[in-house]
Amino acid sequence: MKHRRRAWTRALLVATACSLVAACGPELPPLDDIEAPDLSSVESTVRGQVEDARSRVETSKRRGDLRTVADAYGGLGEIYHAYGLTAAADTAYKNAETLDGAAFPWPYYRALLAQDRGDFETARGHFERALSLRSTSVPTRLRLGEVLLSLGDGDAAAPHFEAAVDRAPGAAAYGLGRIAASTGDLQLAKTELQKAVASAPTSGAAAFALADVKRRLGEETPTAVPGSTPPAFEDPLAERLDGLAISGGALLRRGNQALMAGQLGAAADLFARGVETDPENLELRLNLATAFVRANRLTEAAEGLRQALDDDIGEGPSDRARLHHDLGNVLLASGDADGAVVELERAAELEPDYLDAHFNLANVYGQLERWDDVEKAAGRVVELDAGHARARYLQAMARFNGGRRNVAEAELRQLVAQRPDEPAFREGLAQVLAQTRRTGEAAAVLRLENPAAELDIPTQVRLLRFGAPLLWRRADRNRAIELWRQAAELEPSSQSFTDLANGLQLTGERQEARQLFGRAADLEPQNATAWLSEASLLILEGQLSLASQRLAQAMSHHPQDPGLANVYARLLATAPDPGLRDGRLAVQLARIAYGVELSVEYGETLAMALAEFGNFEQAIGIQRRIAQQAQIAGDRATLRRLVTNLKRYEKRLPVRLAGAE
């Protein structure tokens, strides 16, 4: 009886003690101590997240059940994991798994940690345990397949990739393709890797693997650069980790990953969030500008770099030089060469050994034809790096444009001998030779007689395109057209067809030219020149209905192009067939062109359109104004035509194409 009373008394005392702290925590199994990482050098944001997570663990021990404590440990592990504190993260996950063995995330996260550190056997065990808890998890199957591949067990990996084909086709095909390649089944490997590239075109790893298989099959393929980005797949737990990392450094890392994967919008958002979190981080500012530039958001890129300069970001002249340098490149991409010079000169001034600043300056000076400055800037690059062939090329071209042709020729010959596969050097030497009427030597330098010799197709095409206008200017038109035709056969692209069509048009071969312009426009609808040239030739041939159809197509791609709007408006205003005329639309289109440029040609079209629409008073006013412009310019032929049409408008008669009333 006494024994029972003492036990009851102890229980009462424990209960009383528990009441003093509001509640008693659960009885916990043995857990591992988590070695607290050193947080003295991390951002305050990270310290705050870690301290909050630790506090949740201690609170759960006092007031929660086992699952609550497990979740608190797991949450602490996620914070550590998100910031790369891997040892502490693994211990926290281990404790969470000990407390709640039925929870899927903890073995999955432990597997990720082991995979990242290259411990594939441990990763395999953790992934297999995670899969036993959630057999439908596609990310687990894909990652387990990757681990098994790393262990050399393709047979065991294959079923996991096959199970993921429907949900993650790119990643699954990438795995199956590599398994097939490892067993020597190159045709199957090619098929699977083509699927991977089709599903994930930004995956550098898949593209490189496919190129390697094609090379092993003996197929001609462009040289692929090894890529580290595999096909992406949805992974909610990994995405959760990414979302937890909100420090500037973590956002910089994630932004870089998005940038490498070609996800420009996501990269810009991550870098921008990083700048808000860590405004003093120079790399975030620079990388945000890079993401904007690659997304063609040049104004935002320039604004961000100017703001960084105003905020005095960085730790000295070198950092400011990088900002001025990048701002100069952005301005150059925006078409502001003069502004680019100012920024690049400032970068070179702040950092006299900044090779890229001097080299980019030399290029911009070249665009502005400041040849003395080109020579100085390129010379500084050569001082810093004697083997910098591009800078030596710029030096040579500056000397050529400065009148020292013999010196330039000698330097360019030396560069061609040292770098025979560099087309720019051959083009420069050919230009020098052509200036001294040595077109035969120029053709030989460009390898125009045998362009396939040791050159890949893109280089052959580039040299042919460069050589054709060179020969054209020297009155060898037949040979020039032959070269453009060779380029089109090697690379049947919109640009190749346009080049050839331009030459044929100038030699009177209008029908073939018109057909080629049509092919160029169909291949690349953004090629406004091809649309315009095709339509103009159709009109000359009298195929007005087809011309109208093609111009309507062209305007759907180029709704504000003044040249296309002008030709289409003139056709709609002056076509002999009433079924083709549309005065209202003609006026709308003509106003687009005339709003861009108050030229005689565009004004004449607007007057024609207004007359067709019945607004003769406005047509007369515009016609008188442009007739005065033609008179001032001394263009008598145009003036005569304008006066003739003015008389028609005064009689309330519209204009029709030649031969029509």
Side-chain angles (χ1 to χ4, degrees):
M1 180 66 74
K2 283 185 176 181
H3 176 72
R4 288 182 180 178
R5 187 178 295 117
R6 283 196 298 272
W8 181 86
T9 302
R10 282 198 301 274
L12 179 63
L13 289 172
V14 170
T16 303
C18 287
S19 68
L20 295 177
V21 293
C24 282
E27 184 175 349
L28 302 178
L31 301 173
D32 289 355
D33 292 331
I34 302 174
E35 185 176 348
D38 181 11
L39 302 178
S40 60
S41 61
V42 303
E43 298 169 40
S44 59
T45 302
V46 179
R47 284 198 300 274
Q49 284 182 281
V50 171
E51 289 165 2
D52 287 347
R54 287 173 176 167
S55 176
R56 282 194 292 274
V57 169
E58 295 306 316
T59 300
S60 68
K61 286 180 180 179
R62 296 193 303 270
R63 300 179 181 177
D65 56 19
L66 285 178
R67 179 170 292 180
T68 302
V69 181
D71 289 344
Y73 268 111
L76 177 60
E78 287 177 318
I79 297 297
Y80 283 142
H81 195 167
Y83 289 112
L85 304 170
T86 55
D90 190 55
T91 306
Y93 290 146
K94 181 181 179 184
N95 286 345
E97 194 174 5
T98 298
L99 292 164
D100 185 3
F104 165 77
W106 318 135
Y108 184 79
Y109 280 142
R110 295 190 75 191
L112 290 184
L113 289 170
Q115 185 180 19
D116 287 344
R117 67 174 179 264
D119 186 353
F120 299 119
E121 279 293 354
T122 299
R124 175 181 185 168
H126 289 315
F127 276 133
E128 287 175 343
R129 172 160 170 69
L131 197 61
S132 71
L133 295 169
R134 189 176 295 176
S135 61
T136 59
S137 172
V138 171
T140 307
R141 288 198 176 276
L142 289 171
R143 293 189 188 277
L144 178 54
E146 290 291 336
V147 165
L148 291 167
L149 263 183
S150 298
L151 292 169
D153 194 348
D155 289 340
H160 296 294
F161 290 123
E162 289 166 354
V165 164
D166 291 337
R167 297 273 300 279
Y174 177 55
L176 293 170
R178 285 176 297 149
I179 292 171
S182 69
T183 62
D185 191 345
L186 298 182
Q187 286 296 342
L188 177 59
K190 176 182 171 182
T191 299
E192 293 296 338
L193 291 170
Q194 284 175 329
K195 293 178 187 176
V197 171
S199 295
T202 61
S203 170
F208 181 73
L210 176 59
D212 182 61
V213 166
K214 286 183 175 180
R215 179 187 56 77
R216 291 168 62 185
L217 284 167
E219 298 180 13
E220 184 175 330
T221 182
T223 302
V225 178
S228 59
T229 309
F233 55 88
E234 291 185 8
D235 188 346
L237 286 180
E239 290 168 10
R240 172 175 167 75
L241 287 180
D242 285 341
L244 289 171
I246 60 173
S247 70
L251 290 166
L252 175 64
R253 174 180 56 80
R254 290 171 57 199
N256 286 336
Q257 290 172 345
L259 201 60
M260 289 176 61
Q263 300 165 352
L264 304 181
D269 289 343
L270 289 163
F271 291 137
R273 286 171 54 195
V275 169
E276 292 177 5
T277 301
D278 186 7
E280 299 300 315
N281 190 315
L282 176 66
E283 297 303 321
L284 280 167
R285 302 273 191 144
L286 293 170
N287 289 14
L288 176 58
T290 298
F292 281 148
V293 168
R294 289 180 56 183
N296 201 32
R297 296 162 63 179
L298 301 179
T299 300
E300 292 167 275
E303 289 173 353
L305 291 168
R306 286 195 176 100
Q307 187 63 55
L309 286 165
D310 290 343
D311 294 343
D312 199 21
I313 302 302
E315 298 181 357
S318 294
D319 287 344
R320 291 190 67 79
R322 291 178 65 191
L323 288 167
H324 282 292
H325 171 266
D326 284 13
L327 178 55
N329 287 340
V330 171
L331 293 175
L332 182 60
S334 304
D336 183 3
D338 292 325
V341 165
V342 172
E343 298 299 332
L344 291 168
E345 285 179 340
R346 182 61 177 145
E349 178 186 340
L350 287 167
E351 189 68 22
D353 292 344
Y354 197 164
L355 187 147
D356 286 348
H358 292 289
F359 180 66
N360 290 342
L361 257 178
N363 278 295
V364 182
Y365 286 145
Q367 291 186 26
L368 298 172
E369 298 186 1
R370 293 169 53 176
W371 303 116
D372 288 343
D373 290 328
V374 172
E375 187 171 356
K376 290 175 185 176
R380 179 58 180 150
V381 176
V382 173
E383 288 177 12
L384 295 169
D385 179 5
H388 201 297
R390 292 277 179 177
R392 290 170 56 204
Y393 165 74
L394 290 173
Q395 268 188 317
M397 296 308 294
R399 288 163 180 164
F400 164 63
N401 285 286
R404 288 173 286 171
R405 293 178 179 174
N406 292 338
V407 175
E409 181 181 338
E411 292 172 342
L412 288 166
R413 286 190 183 280
Q414 187 177 32
L415 282 170
V416 169
Q418 293 172 352
R419 299 273 294 274
D421 294 334
E422 175 52 62
F425 301 162
R426 291 183 176 275
E427 292 166 359
L429 179 55
Q431 187 177 350
V432 172
L433 293 168
Q435 285 289 329
T436 54
R437 299 187 178 278
R438 288 177 284 171
T439 54
E441 288 183 63
V445 166
L446 293 171
R447 294 180 173 176
L448 300 182
E449 299 303 326
N450 186 20
E454 302 176 3
L455 298 176
D456 59 27
I457 288 177
T459 303
Q460 292 177 51
V461 171
R462 174 174 171 171
L463 293 177
L464 288 165
R465 285 182 183 165
F466 185 86
L470 183 152
L471 294 175
W472 184 277
R473 288 192 294 270
R474 294 301 169 195
D476 192 352
R477 294 190 168 190
N478 290 336
R479 180 69 175 125
I481 288 176
E482 183 182 336
L483 297 185
W484 276 318
R485 200 177 292 281
Q486 288 180 45
E489 289 171 355
L490 286 169
E491 182 186 89
S493 66
S494 180
Q495 185 60 56
S496 294
F497 290 141
T498 301
D499 290 343
L500 175 57
N502 280 325
L504 291 168
Q505 182 180 13
L506 291 171
T507 56
E509 299 292 333
R510 289 179 178 174
Q511 185 174 3
E512 185 182 0
R514 187 254 301 161
Q515 293 170 349
L516 287 166
F517 281 130
R519 292 178 67 186
D522 290 337
L523 274 175
E524 186 182 337
Q526 294 308 310
N527 186 342
T529 298
W531 287 109
L532 182 59
S533 299
E534 180 198 19
S536 299
L537 289 173
L538 283 169
I539 292 171
L540 283 174
E541 293 176 3
Q543 299 190 56
L544 304 187
S545 179
L546 181 55
S548 181
Q549 293 173 27
R550 295 294 283 174
L551 283 165
Q553 284 182 262
M555 292 305 300
S556 71
H557 296 288
H558 303 274
Q560 298 300 315
D561 186 279
L564 286 167
N566 178 66
V567 171
Y568 195 15
R570 189 168 290 210
L571 176 60
L572 292 171
T574 66
D577 182 355
L580 293 178
R581 295 199 298 271
D582 185 337
R584 183 184 298 276
L585 180 55
V587 170
Q588 293 174 2
L589 293 167
R591 289 195 187 282
I592 290 173
Y594 199 52
V596 172
E597 181 183 328
L598 299 176
S599 66
V600 171
E601 179 188 359
Y602 292 170
E604 183 179 18
T605 302
L606 179 55
M608 291 173 174
L610 288 165
E612 172 61 25
F613 191 52
N615 194 337
F616 287 100
E617 291 304 321
Q618 282 194 36
I620 290 168
I622 290 173
Q623 195 77 354
R624 286 173 177 167
R625 186 160 59 245
I626 60 176
Q628 188 176 22
Q629 284 181 250
Q631 185 175 20
I632 293 170
D635 188 348
R636 294 182 180 179
T638 299
L639 180 59
R640 284 194 297 270
R641 184 181 70 249
L642 294 175
V643 170
T644 299
N645 288 340
L646 175 59
K647 292 177 180 178
R648 291 184 65 88
Y649 302 151
E650 290 171 342
K651 295 177 181 178
R652 299 309 189 254
L653 294 173
V655 172
R656 294 287 175 260
L657 285 175
E661 289 298 328

